[in-house]
Amino acid sequence: MGRSLKVSPGYIEQVKSALGRNGFPSQRVLAEGLGIGLSTVKRFLAGLPVDYMYFVEISDQLGYEWKTIADIEITNSQSPQPNSQPTFGETSPFITGNPITNPRCFFGREKELKRLFNLIKRQPLQNAAIIGKKRSGKTSLLQYLKNITTTPIEKLRPNQKSEWLPYPENYRWIFVDFQDSRLQNREGLLRYILESLKMAVPNPCDLDRFMDLVSRNLHQPTVILLDEIGVGLQRCPELDDGFWESLRSLATNQTNGNLGFILAAPESPIELASSTGHSSPFFNIFGYTKTLGAMTEAEARELIGSSPIPFADEDVEWILNQSECWPLLLQILCRERLFSLEEGETGDNWREEGLEQLKPFADLQSK
């Protein structure tokens, strides 16, 4: 089965009438409710191919089991088995809704990566802060740091650099997402860090026992990536100045230079701490701060050039101009162009749809 599906001709009229029956006064309302492009809904209702995942989502919203209305021929060997889950053999070339976790799909930020890896490839590991607007790519950068050095070369793009560290297998990476409610209290966070380090978790798992375990047993270079740390400072009263001072002590005095922190936030650590009522010296240890801006034009062109169907030169220039080389905006416009090419569309409707999809992210663009 391919990655695209279309409604069987015999079901098109029934599917169109299902809009109103399921409480959708228009195609646009359905599209907005699912968070997908209007053109995708229009293609679905016209019996044109759409991405498999979108096909399943739209079918469900209209009250249909997707296999019932899909125009596909299933042989015995392809027949779904009871309780089986769909699997996807193909990675989406352009990712717009989630942080990028597959290193092959991450582009650019070469200057930032070089500096960050230089900070942690020797002892003592040094600390860094990644600052940027919402949706500027901070989380994707943290994920890339965590994954790139140990990803098998056959799973990367040709000539994609991965040899950033001399002995990458010695490093431990701990990704902390403060939007995860399980990490928004002291015990939950300490337990998670110890489990990630493969250390025995004491009972109770309090700060003193945590400090004792880590200071005595941390002998490998370890980087703790703190994502959305502003959430932790604003919503987690248990993560008080005493907590942060203990982490500072671990990094600077207790682990022989084997512990470093890289955080992501919308403003500098000192400003963030001040605005949330924290005064811990932990927020003074970040000797390198980098504000993420747009990608370079060369990096943006590399991302655009990764499309499985090449774009015309005039489309490439339009995408560069409209996106101003911001990663998310590039991904959105490339996605829309690729969909239109896959479905054999002519004309510039994809541009109109692309600009519509950019509107929620106007704060990334120049005023």
Side-chain angles (χ1 to χ4, degrees):
M1 191 187 308
R3 66 169 295 195
S4 296
L5 292 173
K6 63 181 180 180
V7 176
S8 176
Y11 278 94
I12 290 177
E13 292 306 316
Q14 294 182 44
V15 167
K16 287 180 178 178
S17 65
L19 268 176
R21 290 200 311 270
N22 288 275
F24 299 105
S26 67
Q27 297 176 14
R28 183 175 294 277
V29 171
L30 174 59
E32 291 175 350
L34 289 171
I36 62 178
L38 176 59
S39 62
T40 300
V41 172
K42 288 181 176 179
R43 292 191 289 266
F44 176 93
L45 296 173
L48 297 173
V50 300
D51 184 89
Y52 168 82
M53 288 182 286
Y54 290 150
F55 188 93
V56 173
E57 290 178 356
I58 298 172
S59 299
D60 182 66
Q61 288 295 309
L62 296 181
Y64 288 100
E65 168 65 27
W66 71 267
K67 294 188 288 291
T68 301
I69 62 174
D71 185 21
I72 55 176
E73 294 181 1
I74 302 178
T75 64
N76 289 337
S77 62
Q78 295 173 314
S79 299
Q81 300 300 311
N83 301 319
S84 65
Q85 296 294 321
T87 58
F88 305 98
E90 184 176 357
T91 300
S92 296
F94 300 112
I95 301 170
T96 59
N98 300 311
I100 294 171
T101 57
N102 183 346
R104 185 183 180 91
C105 300
F106 184 93
F107 289 85
R109 307 302 190 194
E110 291 292 318
K111 181 178 179 180
E112 292 86 349
L113 289 166
K114 182 177 181 180
R115 178 62 67 87
L116 291 167
F117 279 117
N118 279 339
L119 290 171
I120 62 171
K121 72 180 183 181
R122 301 181 183 91
Q123 288 182 319
L125 275 63
Q126 300 180 60
N127 308 291
I130 306 301
I131 312 303
K133 299 177 182 179
K134 183 179 180 181
R135 306 305 293 258
S136 60
K138 301 186 297 297
T139 301
S140 295
L141 179 56
L142 293 184
Q143 291 283 2
Y144 192 73
L145 288 168
K146 175 177 176 286
N147 296 321
I148 182 58
T149 60
T150 55
T151 298
I153 192 170
E154 63 271 15
K155 294 186 177 181
L156 300 175
R157 302 188 303 274
N159 301 317
Q160 185 176 1
K161 183 173 181 178
S162 61
E163 296 178 352
W164 293 98
L165 296 171
Y167 300 102
E169 66 279 1
N170 291 341
Y171 280 72
R172 288 178 173 173
W173 299 84
I174 303 175
F175 184 88
V176 177
D177 179 6
F178 282 106
Q179 295 180 115
D180 186 338
S181 61
R182 296 169 296 181
L183 307 182
Q184 292 180 356
N185 63 84
R186 182 180 291 189
E187 182 175 357
L189 178 56
L190 297 180
R191 180 180 296 274
Y192 169 74
I193 293 174
L194 290 174
E195 289 173 347
S196 300
L197 292 171
K198 302 188 186 307
M199 295 183 185
V201 179
N203 185 21
C205 187
D206 57 27
L207 188 56
D208 288 346
R209 289 178 173 84
F210 171 84
M211 292 286 291
D212 186 52
L213 276 168
V214 176
S215 61
R216 285 191 290 106
N217 297 294
L218 186 68
H219 305 302
Q220 292 178 262
T222 299
V223 182
I224 299 182
L225 306 165
L226 303 173
D227 194 29
E228 297 291 348
I229 192 172
V231 174
L233 295 176
Q234 293 164 2
R235 301 181 189 173
C236 311
E238 293 183 23
L239 306 184
D240 55 15
D241 283 346
F243 171 83
W244 296 111
E245 288 164 6
S246 295
L247 292 191
R248 184 184 191 278
S249 177
L250 278 179
T252 57
N253 300 313
Q254 307 295 327
T255 53
N256 296 315
N258 280 316
L259 180 61
F261 293 92
I262 300 177
L263 65 77
E267 54 187 317
S268 77
I270 295 175
E271 293 173 345
L272 193 60
S274 175
S275 66
T276 55
H278 291 79
S279 59
S280 169
F282 173 80
F283 300 98
N284 295 325
I285 66 174
F286 295 88
Y288 173 72
T289 299
K290 177 62 179 179
T291 300
L292 289 187
M295 299 166 69
T296 67
E297 182 177 327
E299 292 170 343
R301 288 184 181 276
E302 184 183 10
L303 189 158
I304 296 171
S306 69
S307 173
I309 302 177
F311 298 163
D313 289 345
E314 63 183 70
D315 291 335
V316 172
E317 298 304 319
W318 185 86
I319 290 171
L320 288 171
N321 180 265
Q322 296 298 324
S323 68
E324 299 181 12
C325 295
W326 283 98
L328 174 63
L329 309 187
L330 283 164
Q331 298 271 5
I332 290 173
L333 295 180
C334 288
R335 176 196 67 190
E336 292 303 320
R337 185 53 179 144
L338 179 60
F339 282 173
S340 69
L341 291 172
E342 287 179 330
E343 291 153 20
E345 293 183 353
T346 58
D348 290 334
N349 288 341
W350 70 272
R351 294 189 179 187
E352 178 183 349
E353 179 63 24
L355 293 177
E356 184 70 22
Q357 296 298 321
L358 295 191
K359 287 181 179 179
F361 312 107
D363 61 313
L364 286 175
Q365 298 171 292
S366 58
K367 303 299 182 183

